[in-house]
């Protein structure tokens, strides 16, 4: 059922304009003295809702170990090809990482290319990459806009983890039933 | 003090004129600049945001309370804007007619700074109690000179629009010229009743703005004709005042009559191809036009430097003289009158900004319709009405 808005002819006072303009001036004058509604950004930050998808970051497991195993799935799935991973082995001289399969040697995300689609987070089998609430990525050079591994871990920090994958692998290895 | 006055009086009149002219320009330019800042602040306040509040010279941050306060006020943005306009690359497009392109901003400034010569901005009283206006040239053609020179401003818009050799500036220039010429008519016709009123038949006729203010500086004499001299013309001729004000908005290219530079349909209008200080000159010229226009409106309809209707400047000076005879000094009276006049003018500058954020921009055909089909008949009717009224009443005046 279409709804027809009937255009009423203007009254004489409305056609004279002046009273209408004066009424408008009253409204704007009220706004002139009303408090500002602006948030002054660098000093005041907006509250970030839970589940916000900002800058992609790498996270560590509760024991402070890298979760990323450099499987390169995120690099493969990334639509704008923003992610570059150089796969690497875990050094043998680190006993607390003895059961970690692999780790990236280098992990770069070019934030000038990243489109914040979150596919990397979806595809990651180790839940190592997360889009977190960091929303303000700025820099003066192109090089500054490339997040390297150290920066990604600094942004990501540690997320609570329910799986303790490496601990389970360690238990399995110690009790002799690997797979 | 007397030595300075002596020295001043001994100066060559030409030199005196140059110094006075430079002094007036030296006041108008900064007010124009300050208005651009106030415009930004008022716009921001009406829109519920703080407006410019970042720029600050680094050493000023050390001043404890005043520094941050001035920064919040945004006063340093004025310097930043000025510095930017002077030092930014002043590009000259290759496809323009260079001579007229460069001439247009200069032509914009000339009428803006020339009209001020006949606009009185204050007065003092000599020993005989006569009112001596503070004006660069107290011409008898006063308002005629303002209209004649002020309408030259349209040349700069046409020149800028045409010389830019580009479609949008051209359309902007065309629109501006049509609009300015259309509203010139109703503006002039709205003013005629005022001069019919102040010119008594048989006396020597005058178009001087000073005499308009002189007519409006009287005291309450009861319900008689003499009381007309205490009223302001906005009370006796409200319709003329409204027509003049609307035409003034159109003449100064201010919103809602922002046809020349409507950025929604014409990019930047006539100044699309301009940058840096050349653009800045257009900007200052617009504010100077607004200042002069508000000044003329104040003189014609709002009693000039008289503080209130029926309370002329002379009465106020008389009351102040009871406090201290120092207030009777011409210098004090002059400063007081300039202060009152400037306050009214600055209120109008605020009104310009206030209306800008209230009334949306008209369409071009609406502007033309309003000018030719509404304002012009109104102005003519108003003129005939007051001509008849004054013819009937003036024998008793």
């Amino acid at each position: 059922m279409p709804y027809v808005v009937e255009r009423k002819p203007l009254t004489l006072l409305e056609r004279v304009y002046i009273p209408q303009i004066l009424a408008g001036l009253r409204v704007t004058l009220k706004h002139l003295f009303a408090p500002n509604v602006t948030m002054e950004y660098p000093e005041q930050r907006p509250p970030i809702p839970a589940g916000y998808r900002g800058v992609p970051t790498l996270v560590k497991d509760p024991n402070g170990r890298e979760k990323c195993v450099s499987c390169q799935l995120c690099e493969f799935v990334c639509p704008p090809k923003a992610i570059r991973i150089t796969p690497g082995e875990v050094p043998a001289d680190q006993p607390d990482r003895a059961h970690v399969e692999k780790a990236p040697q280098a992990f770069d995300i070019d934030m000038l290319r990243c489109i914040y689609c979150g596919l990397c987070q979806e595809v990651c089998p180790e839940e190592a990459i997360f889009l977190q609430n960091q929303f303000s990525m700025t820099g003066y050079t192109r090089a500054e806009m490339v997040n390297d591994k150290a920066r990604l871990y600094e942004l990501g920090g540690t997320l609570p983890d329910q799986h303790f994958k490496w601990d389970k692998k360690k238990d399995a290895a110690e009790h002799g039933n690997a797979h | 003090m007397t030595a300075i006055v002596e020295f001043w009086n001994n100066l060559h009149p030409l030199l005196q004129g140059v110094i006075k002219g430079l002094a007036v320009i030296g006041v108008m330019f900064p007010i124009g600049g300050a208005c651009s800042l106030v415009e930004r602040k008022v716009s921001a306040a009406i829109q519920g945001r703080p407006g410019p509040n970042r720029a600050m010279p680094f050493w000023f941050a050390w001043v404890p309370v005043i520094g941050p306060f001035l920064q919040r006020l945004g006063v340093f943005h004025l310097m930043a804007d000025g510095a930017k306009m002077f030092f930014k690359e002043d590009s000259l497009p290759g496809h323009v007619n260079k001579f007229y392109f460069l001439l247009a901003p200069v032509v914009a400034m000339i009428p803006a700074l020339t009209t001020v010569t006949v606009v009185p901005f204050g007065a003092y009283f000599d020993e005989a109690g006569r009112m001596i206006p503070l004006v660069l040239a107290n011409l008898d053609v006063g308002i005629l000179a303002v209209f004649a020179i002020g309408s030259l401003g349209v040349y700069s818009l046409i020149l800028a629009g045409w010389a830019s050799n580009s479609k949008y500036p051209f359309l902007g220039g065309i629109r501006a010229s049509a609009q300015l010429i259309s509203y010139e008519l109703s503006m002039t016709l709205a003013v005629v009743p005022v001069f019919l009123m102040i010119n008594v038949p048989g006396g020597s006729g005058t178009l001087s703005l000073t005499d308009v203010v002189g007519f409006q500086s009287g005291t309450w004499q009861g319900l008689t004709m003499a009381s007309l001299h205490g009223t302001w013309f906005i009370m006796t001729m409200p319709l003329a005042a409204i027509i003049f004000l609307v035409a003034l908005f159109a003449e100064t290219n201010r919103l809602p009559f922002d046809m020349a530079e409507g950025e929604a349909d014409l990019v930047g209008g006539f100044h699309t191809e301009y940058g840096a200080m050349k653009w800045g000159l257009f900007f200052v010229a617009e504010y100077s036009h607004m200042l002069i226009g508000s000044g003329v409106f104040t003189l014609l309809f709002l009693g000039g430097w008289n503080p209130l209707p029926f309370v002329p400047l002379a009465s106020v000076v008389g009351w102040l003289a009871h406090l201290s005879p120092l207030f009777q000094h011409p210098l004090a009276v002059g400063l007081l009158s300039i202060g009152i006049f400037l306050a009214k003018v600055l209120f109008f500058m605020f009104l310009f900004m206030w209306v800008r954020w209230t009334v949306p921009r008209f369409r071009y055909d609406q502007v033309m319709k309003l000018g030719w089909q509404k304002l012009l008949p109104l102005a003519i009717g108003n003129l005939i009405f007051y001509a008849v009224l004054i013819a009937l009443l003036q024998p008793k005046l």
Side-chain angles (χ1 to χ4, degrees), chain A residues 69 88-90 97-103 126 165-166 169:
Chain A
V69 293
E89 297 296 330
V90 174
R97 293 171 75 190
H99 300 276
V100 178
E101 287 160 354
K102 280 172 89 181
E126 301 292 330
K165 182 180 174 185
W166 308 133
K169 276 200 74 149

Side-chain angles (χ1 to χ4, degrees), chain B residues 123-136:
Chain B
Y124 63 94
F125 303 100
D126 65 359
E127 285 86 355
R130 274 176 311 173
M131 192 169 71
I132 310 291
L134 292 166
V135 57
L136 291 180

Side-chain angles (χ1 to χ4, degrees), chain A residues 24-25 28 31 37-38 40 43, chain B residues 45 48-50 54 72 354 358:
Chain A
L25 286 177
T28 38
H31 279 278
V37 294
T38 325
E40 290 175 49
E43 292 89 26
Chain B
R49 58 190 170 86
R54 295 283 147 170
R72 285 297 291 180
W354 187 9
T358 305

Side-chain angles (χ1 to χ4, degrees), chain B residues 3-252:
Chain B
I4 297 171
V5 174
E6 195 83 350
F7 176 73
W8 174 254
N9 287 337
N10 285 339
L11 275 180
H12 193 273
L14 204 65
L15 204 59
Q16 277 190 14
V18 168
I19 292 173
K20 280 196 264 186
L22 285 179
V24 170
I25 291 174
V27 172
M28 263 182 57
F29 245 86
I31 291 184
C35 280
S36 75
L37 172 71
V38 174
E39 170 113 51
R40 291 166 72 182
K41 276 310 227 190
V42 169
S43 312
I46 287 179
Q47 292 180 328
R49 58 190 170 86
N53 61 354
R54 295 283 147 170
M56 177 147 76
F58 71 95
W59 48 268
F60 217 90
W62 303 335
V63 183
V65 182
I66 308 162
F69 173 73
L70 287 181
Q71 188 195 22
R72 285 297 291 180
L73 213 58
V75 292
F76 303 112
H77 279 263
L78 195 56
M79 299 178 211
D81 282 348
K84 187 187 84 179
M85 276 187 196
F86 275 114
F87 294 118
K88 143 183 198 178
E89 185 188 355
D90 197 358
S91 59
L92 187 66
H95 55 77
V96 299
N97 184 323
K98 293 204 174 44
F99 178 70
Y100 292 114
F101 187 79
L102 293 175
L103 189 67
V106 182
V107 173
M109 285 311 291
I110 289 172
L113 295 181
T114 311
T115 37
V116 78
T117 50
V118 293
V119 175
F121 36 80
Y124 63 94
F125 303 100
D126 65 359
E127 285 86 355
R130 274 176 311 173
M131 192 169 71
I132 310 291
L134 292 166
V135 57
L136 291 180
N138 190 14
L139 299 180
D140 245 359
V141 289
I143 189 80
L144 207 57
V146 171
F147 283 147
I149 304 168
S151 55
L152 291 180
V154 70
Y155 279 109
S156 79
L157 306 192
I158 300 175
L159 270 184
W162 177 79
S164 292
N165 192 15
S166 153
K167 287 176 188 68
Y168 289 124
F170 184 69
L171 283 174
I174 292 289
R175 277 180 173 199
S177 57
Q179 175 190 324
L180 261 58
I181 291 166
S182 308
Y183 281 79
E184 197 83 26
L185 283 167
S186 15
M187 191 181 208
T188 318
L189 284 177
V191 168
V192 174
V194 172
F195 287 93
L196 285 180
M197 191 82 134
I198 67 163
N199 283 302
V200 184
S204 61
T206 179
L207 287 171
S208 166
L209 287 164
T210 320
D211 293 345
V212 182
V213 181
F215 188 88
Q216 295 177 83
S217 19
T219 48
W220 176 249
Q221 311 272 336
L223 282 170
T224 60
M225 284 297 159
S227 271
L228 270 186
H229 289 267
T231 56
W232 291 354
F233 280 115
I234 197 170
M235 296 155 74
T236 48
M237 303 176 178
L239 187 60
I242 288 171
I243 295 172
F244 188 85
L245 192 63
V246 172
L248 190 62
F249 271 86
E251 288 285 303
T252 49

